[in-house]
Amino acid sequence: MQRSSQKNSRIYEDFDSPEEALERLIWMYEDRLKALCPTMLNVNYSLDDLKRFIDQHNECCVLVLDLRLNAYISHDAAWIKSSIHAHLQRLLLKSKGPNIAVSQ
C-alpha cells in the first residue's frame, strides 16, 4: 500500500493467506474511522465507504503466491475490492445462514 505520492509512504506486510490480507485492510479502515471519531463506541460504514478508502491510496495491491507457477501474482485495487466483497459475503453467510447477502 502506498498512502501518498511519496515512495517512502509504501508499506509492505506479509500474510499467510489472501483472506488475512483482506482482513488487515478492513482493520486499517476501521482503525482510521476510530481515529477520526474517537468518542464513538460503534462506527458504521458501508462497503462503498471501504472501497473509497482503498481508492484514496496511490497504490494498493496484493501479491498472492500461485503454487502452480511458483510465482507471486499481483492483484490491483479492483481485485481487492471485489475480493473484500466476496470475503465479507462468506463471513456473513457463515454467521447468519444462506439467505443473507452483502449489497454493494
Side-chain angles (χ1 to χ4, degrees), residues 9-40:
S9 71
R10 288 181 181 169
I11 59 170
Y12 302 92
E13 296 188 47
D14 189 24
F15 300 96
D16 291 332
S17 70
E19 291 77 18
E20 285 183 23
L22 299 175
E23 284 289 334
R24 173 69 170 132
L25 284 168
I26 294 167
W27 179 87
M28 289 173 73
Y29 179 61
E30 291 175 352
D31 195 49
R32 177 154 184 229
L33 290 177
K34 290 174 190 174
L36 292 172
C37 309
T39 59
M40 293 184 70

Side-chain angles (χ1 to χ4, degrees), residues 39-98:
T39 59
M40 293 184 70
L41 297 177
N42 295 310
V43 179
N44 296 311
Y45 61 90
S46 70
L47 183 59
D48 285 335
D49 296 331
L50 181 55
K51 289 177 178 182
R52 277 190 291 277
F53 170 75
I54 292 167
D55 287 335
Q56 288 173 354
H57 294 82
N58 278 25
E59 185 176 5
C60 189
C61 68
V62 173
L63 298 173
V64 177
L65 179 61
D66 185 325
L67 294 173
R68 292 171 297 146
L69 299 174
N70 198 29
Y72 285 93
I73 307 299
S74 179
H75 296 288
D76 63 5
W79 180 91
I80 292 168
K81 292 183 284 188
S82 173
S83 295
I84 283 177
H85 182 242
H87 175 68
L88 292 174
Q89 185 102 28
R90 282 189 302 276
L91 290 177
L92 191 58
L93 287 173
K94 197 184 277 186
S95 69
K96 300 282 185 180

